[in-house]
Structures are given as C-alpha cells and as structure tokens.
C-alpha cells in the first residue's frame, strides 16, 4: 500500500508539473521541480525525465501553448534540450508551429532548434505553418466520388497558415520540397485553402507539380478543398490541370463537388472534360451521379456522347447514372455477402456447450474478471465460430483489460460475420480509440451511425472521437507518464 501511495504521489507531481508548463505558471513550476527532485539528482535531470504517456516533455507543452517565458526557464535555467522528440517524433518547435506561435518558435530557433526535424510522418514545422492543424491529413485515394462521407477526411484540420512564421522557417534554410506522408508544404497549404501560404511558397520556388507518394499534387489538393483562389494561383504557376491521382483529375473532383466556377477555371486551363476516372466515369457522369443538374447542363456540350446513354440530354444522363448507382449498390451488397466467412456447420451438442461457455464468460465479465471471461469466450467461439456476439463480448473484455490490438482483431472478425451490425462498428471504433487512432475510430463509429442513425451512443462516440483527435494534436491536458 505504501508503494502504491508513493507512486500515486509521484504521478500527481508529474501531472502538476506538466500542467504548470501548459498554464505558464512559473512559480508552481519552480516549486514542483524541487518537489520532484527527492533523490537530489538535480533539477535539470529531473525535469528532462518528466514526460507524459506520449513522451511529451514540459517543453513540448509550453511550446504548444506559446509560453515563451516557460520555454526560457526550461532551456536556460534547467538546461533542457531544445529538440526532444515525443512518440510522434515531434519536437517542441513543431508543436509551436502547429499552433502558430511565432514568438515561441523564434525563441526555440534562436536557441538551437532544428527547423528541418520531421515527425514520424515526415512533417516539419514548415508543413504545419503552411496550413494544417495536425497529422491527420487525407491520403489518396481520397477522391471517392460515390462516398458521401467526404467530410471525415478533413474533420481533424483546424489551423490556418502563418506566413510570418513560414518566412522565419524559410530563412533558416528549410527544404521547401521536403516530403511528408501527405506531400510537400505546398500540398498542405493548397489542401487547406491557404492562399497566402500558397503564394509565399511559390514565390520561394516551390514546385507546383510535385507529387507525393500517392501522386497527389497541390492542384488536386486545392480542388478537393474547393479553393478557387488557390487553384487560379497554382494554374498561373504552371500546375498541370490534367494530373491524375487515385483515379481523379482536378476536373473530376470539381464535378463531384458541384463547383461551377472551379470547373470553368480548370476547363480554361486545359482540363479535359472527357477524361475518365478508374471506374470509367467522365466528369458529367460524376455530376449526374450527384444529381447536380447545373453542372450536367454546363458540361453537356463539352462532353463526347457516352455509349449506353440512349437519351443524350440532361435528364437522360441523370436517369442513366441513377440506374447505374442502383446496380452498383446491389453488386456491392452481393459482393459483401460473398466475402463473408461461410457459416461452419455446428452440431447441437457443440452449440449447447458454446452457450454454456458464453454464460461462464458473461458471469466472469459481471465480476470484472476480464481475462477469465476471455478464456470462456474463446472456448465458446471455438465451439461455435458463427456466433458474432461472442466475438463482440470478447472484444469488450480485451478493451477492459487494456489489450486494444486483441480487441480490434475480434471487432473486425465480428464485423466480417455481421457487417450490418452497428454494435460491431462500435466495438471496432472503441478499439481504434484506445489505440489513439482517432480518424479510424471516427470512421468506424460513423459507419455504425449509418446503420443505426438513432443510436445516440454511436452518435456520441463519433463526436467524441472527432474531438479527441483534435485535442490529441491540439490543446488537450497533459497525460502523465505511466
């Protein structure tokens, strides 16, 4: 008990130390350093060792909140290193840049911070200053014309560009063409409609046609963001209007979004209205699929007739695509059924024994003896592999036991057996959330909401996953080291 009390006390001091750095409370910070140095090893070594569960130091939190005076105390008085890396390989400078804290970033740079350090996804401080709020940038193929859930791709973004900070970073010799997982700083800026950032990067000779690993360019990103000003500037700089990635050209993306002005701009630049996506659809068909009459009317005289469309007029094309949509949905459903695990023949005796094991698992779960419950559910699913409810229950037990990977594996197996079961979506989302994969969690919860729109628990979980994703790289409270 004494050891547990001591551990709790130490953890409380760590939490308070990191929160003081967040809040800019220098007086508390100084007293907490002394309180943490119980063994007399020195304030500097103690402060450097204090990290939260994601390996973020007090300097990370101070930089993220723009507490320049705290950064000064930690670096100059305690001697903390200026470029410690957290679990995402992000430095305090990257945290400061993400939040647009110019003065803090300048202080860190003046004290030796390396502006070229990249996160585990390749993003530097310049990427963040150029216009994105966190690491959850969409990757190709993210131009899915038949998927109404486009907003999820951008749901975690929240921070505007900062040209003054960008100028500071560029003056330090940062590579303007540095590639992150989602592309160059220009791709980031364009994908979030940051016109000033796009202009500045182009003035510093950023290449408008640089592609990321998935073939996405700044023009594709700007079009997906619906930013006409960015598209115009990029085209003027020589961006290729017929670039293709993930099966999409800028014109196909604009047609999907129904933006007439973007369509006009791209056509004027030489965009081809007869280029097809990977499903063989032209921009006019994409617009018709969306039932966007205005776009279909505009593109009709510019598009070559499509074989199979007997009535080559606005109504005829929209009707044709409505029929195509229905047939594809039916085919998708049939394919999904074929892809399900085939039911295993189970004897009545095996089913009986499986139910008995499941009952033992339920009893153990109620006692909060989760590992015993897992063992019972494992016996149950071995006896009857067709019971998705057992997998759902075992997934929940793994979650309660803190074993997120096992929970996710069972949730996915559960969904394979019953893809139309909202609870299976919930289980998958909960596992992703425990793994801090907030975008995947939001997607799983959203798919559950589509199955059960009135399910308040799923709706709430979806919203919480979005908020958690924002906070994870935004302004959440420190999570003390465990």
């Amino acid at each position: 008990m004494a050891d547990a009390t001591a551990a709790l006390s130490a953890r409380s001091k760590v939490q308070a130390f990191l929160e003081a750095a967040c809040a800019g409370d220098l007086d508390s910070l100084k007293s907490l350093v002394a309180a943490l140095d119980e063994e007399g090893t020195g304030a500097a070594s103690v402060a450097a060792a204090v990290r939260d569960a994601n390996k973020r130091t007090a300097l990370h939190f101070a930089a993220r909140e723009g507490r320049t005076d705290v950064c000064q105390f930690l670096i100059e008085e305690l001697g903390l290193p200026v470029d410690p890396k957290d679990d995402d390989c992000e430095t305090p400078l990257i945290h400061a840049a993400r939040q647009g804290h110019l003065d803090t970033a300048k202080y860190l740079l003046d004290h030796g911070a390396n502006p070229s350090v990249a996160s585990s996804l390749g993003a530097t401080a310049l990427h963040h200053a150029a216009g994105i709020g966190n690491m959850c940038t969409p990757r190709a193929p993210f131009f899915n014309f038949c998927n109404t859930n486009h907003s999820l791709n951008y749901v975690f973004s929240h921070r505007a560009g900062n040209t003054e900070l960008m100028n500071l970073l560029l003056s330090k010799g940062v590579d303007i063409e540095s590639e992150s997982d989602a592309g160059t700083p220009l791709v980031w800026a364009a994908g979030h409609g940051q016109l000033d950032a796009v202009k500045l990067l182009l003035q510093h000779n950023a290449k408008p046609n640089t592609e990321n690993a998935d073939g996405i360019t700044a023009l594709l990103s700007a079009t997906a963001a619906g930013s006409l000003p960015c598209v115009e500037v990029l085209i003027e700089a020589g961006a290729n209007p017929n670039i293709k990635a993930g099966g999409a050209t800028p014109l196909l993306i604009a047609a999907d979004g129904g933006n007439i002005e973007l369509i006009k701009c791209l056509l004027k630049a030489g965009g081809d209205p007869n280029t097809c996506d990977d499903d063989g659809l032209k921009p006019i068909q994409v617009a018709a699929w969306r039932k966007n009459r205005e776009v279909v009317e505009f593109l009709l005289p510019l598009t070559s007739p499509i074989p199979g469309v007997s009535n080559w007029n606005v109504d005829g094309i929209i009707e044709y695509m409505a029929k195509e949509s229905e047939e594809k949905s039916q085919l998708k459903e049939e394919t999904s059924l074929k892809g399900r695990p085939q039911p295993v023949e189970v004897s009545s005796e095996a089913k009986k024994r499986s139910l008995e094991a499941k009952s033992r698992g339920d009893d153990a779960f109620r006692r909060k003896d989760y590992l015993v419950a897992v063992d019972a559910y494992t016996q149950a699913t071995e006896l009857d592999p067709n019971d998705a409810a057992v997998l759902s229950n075992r997934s929940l037990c793994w979650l309660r036991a803190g074993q997120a990977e096992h929970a996710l594996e069972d949730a996915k197996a559960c969904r394979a057996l019953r893809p139309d079961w909202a609870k299976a979506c919930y289980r998958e989302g909960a596992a992703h959330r425990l793994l801090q994969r907030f975008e995947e969690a939001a997607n799983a919860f959203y798919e559950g909401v589509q199955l059960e729109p009135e399910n308040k628990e799923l709706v709430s979980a979806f919203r919480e996953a979005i908020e958690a994703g924002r906070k994870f790289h935004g302004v959440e409270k420190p999570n003390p080291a465990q």
Side-chain angles (χ1 to χ4, degrees):
M1 181 63 71
D3 288 344
T5 302
L8 185 62
S9 175
R11 184 173 177 178
S12 177
K13 291 174 184 176
V14 167
Q15 176 79 19
F17 183 77
L18 295 176
E19 286 184 351
C22 261
D25 188 346
L26 269 175
D27 291 336
S28 295
L29 204 63
K30 291 175 181 178
S31 63
L32 283 163
V33 169
L36 284 165
D37 189 20
E38 294 177 346
E39 298 181 4
T41 57
S45 60
V46 168
V50 173
R51 291 176 179 251
D52 78 344
N54 298 295
K55 296 185 179 178
R56 286 170 288 197
T57 65
L59 188 58
H60 283 93
F61 287 107
R64 191 187 66 189
E65 298 301 316
R67 311 293 186 186
T68 308
D69 55 343
V70 174
C71 293
Q72 184 177 6
F73 168 72
L74 293 170
I75 292 171
E76 296 183 33
E77 294 191 37
L78 294 188
L80 263 65
V82 73
D83 276 335
K85 293 182 179 180
D86 61 18
D87 258 348
D88 298 316
C89 293
E90 293 189 336
T91 62
L93 177 61
I94 290 176
H95 281 249
R98 180 186 294 116
Q99 302 302 322
H101 296 310
L102 176 63
D103 290 341
T104 304
K106 187 176 187 305
Y107 173 83
L108 293 170
L109 287 166
D110 288 345
H111 287 78
N114 184 351
S116 296
V117 171
S119 71
S120 56
L121 293 181
T124 65
L126 181 61
H127 285 86
H128 290 287
I132 194 168
N134 62 37
M135 298 189 305
C136 298
T137 309
R139 296 187 64 197
F142 67 115
F143 312 117
N144 183 356
F145 304 126
C146 304
N147 178 5
T148 58
N149 187 24
H150 287 178
S151 60
L152 281 180
N153 288 320
Y154 288 95
V155 77
F156 296 108
S157 302
H158 66 277
R159 185 65 61 175
N162 186 322
T163 54
E164 196 171 355
L165 177 54
M166 289 171 65
N167 271 317
L168 174 64
L169 292 164
L170 288 166
S171 72
K172 301 295 182 180
V174 178
D175 181 8
I176 202 167
E177 292 295 316
S178 58
E179 278 281 348
S180 75
D181 195 47
T184 64
L186 183 61
V187 173
W188 283 46
H192 292 79
Q194 301 302 324
L195 179 60
D196 290 342
V198 169
K199 287 181 176 178
L200 177 63
L201 290 166
L202 289 171
Q203 287 167 8
H204 283 78
N205 300 315
K207 299 175 183 176
N209 289 310
T210 297
E211 301 177 14
N212 72 1
D214 298 309
I216 296 172
T217 66
L219 184 61
L220 283 163
S221 290
T223 307
S227 175
L228 178 61
C230 286
V231 167
E232 290 174 333
V233 168
L234 287 164
I235 286 174
E236 186 178 349
N240 178 6
N242 289 305
I243 189 69
K244 195 172 187 179
T249 63
L251 193 55
L252 281 158
I253 298 166
D256 179 55
N259 191 321
I260 284 287
E261 294 307 313
L262 265 180
I263 291 169
K264 289 178 179 178
C265 176
L266 291 165
L267 286 169
K268 185 178 179 181
D272 185 356
N274 289 297
T275 296
C276 297
D277 66 14
D278 286 350
D279 293 322
L281 301 180
K282 296 182 180 181
I284 195 170
Q285 291 172 280
V286 172
W289 201 312
R290 295 294 194 189
K291 296 182 173 59
N292 192 320
R293 293 186 64 86
E294 183 184 13
V295 176
V296 174
E297 287 174 357
F298 181 78
L299 290 173
L300 183 61
L302 304 173
T303 307
S304 301
I306 298 164
V309 183
S310 55
N311 297 320
W312 189 244
N313 54 46
V314 173
D315 289 328
I317 297 169
I318 292 176
E319 288 171 7
Y320 175 82
M321 291 309 299
K323 184 179 178 182
E324 284 276 300
S325 177
E326 185 178 346
E327 290 176 353
K328 286 193 174 184
S329 295
Q330 185 176 350
L331 179 61
K332 183 179 180 181
E333 185 176 348
E334 292 172 355
T335 303
S336 175
L337 288 171
K338 289 179 182 177
R340 291 189 196 181
Q342 294 301 307
V344 176
E345 188 173 343
V346 179
S347 68
S348 57
E349 177 63 23
K351 284 185 179 180
K352 179 182 176 182
R353 291 172 58 198
S354 176
L355 288 172
E356 289 172 353
K358 181 177 181 293
S359 179
R360 292 198 305 275
D362 293 344
D363 289 341
F365 178 82
R366 283 190 286 271
R367 297 194 307 269
K368 298 184 180 180
D369 200 343
Y370 301 122
L371 294 182
V372 171
V374 163
D375 184 60
Y377 289 138
T378 299
Q379 294 175 40
T381 197
E382 287 174 351
L383 289 162
D384 183 4
N386 304 321
D387 194 341
V390 172
L391 289 168
S392 172
N393 291 354
R394 192 169 69 175
S395 178
L396 179 57
C397 287
W398 283 127
L399 278 174
R400 296 289 174 84
Q403 300 293 318
E405 292 288 359
H406 290 311
L408 181 60
E409 184 179 349
D410 277 349
K412 288 184 174 180
C414 181
R415 287 195 69 180
L417 284 171
R418 291 185 59 180
D420 55 350
W421 193 22
K423 181 179 279 190
C425 298
Y426 183 87
R427 292 282 183 259
E428 183 177 341
H432 280 303
R433 186 172 56 193
L434 186 58
L435 288 164
Q436 296 185 323
R437 300 170 184 166
F438 299 109
E439 189 170 11
E440 290 90 336
N443 279 319
F445 289 136
Y446 184 82
E447 287 163 4
V449 171
Q450 288 181 308
L451 292 168
E452 291 185 11
E454 303 304 317
N455 190 318
K456 293 182 180 179
E457 187 177 17
L458 274 165
V459 172
S460 176
F462 169 61
R463 291 172 177 167
E464 288 172 3
I466 291 172
E467 186 61 26
R470 286 173 174 158
K471 288 182 177 179
F472 186 65
H473 289 287
V475 292
E476 82 276 24
K477 288 177 67 177
N479 185 6
Q482 297 177 4

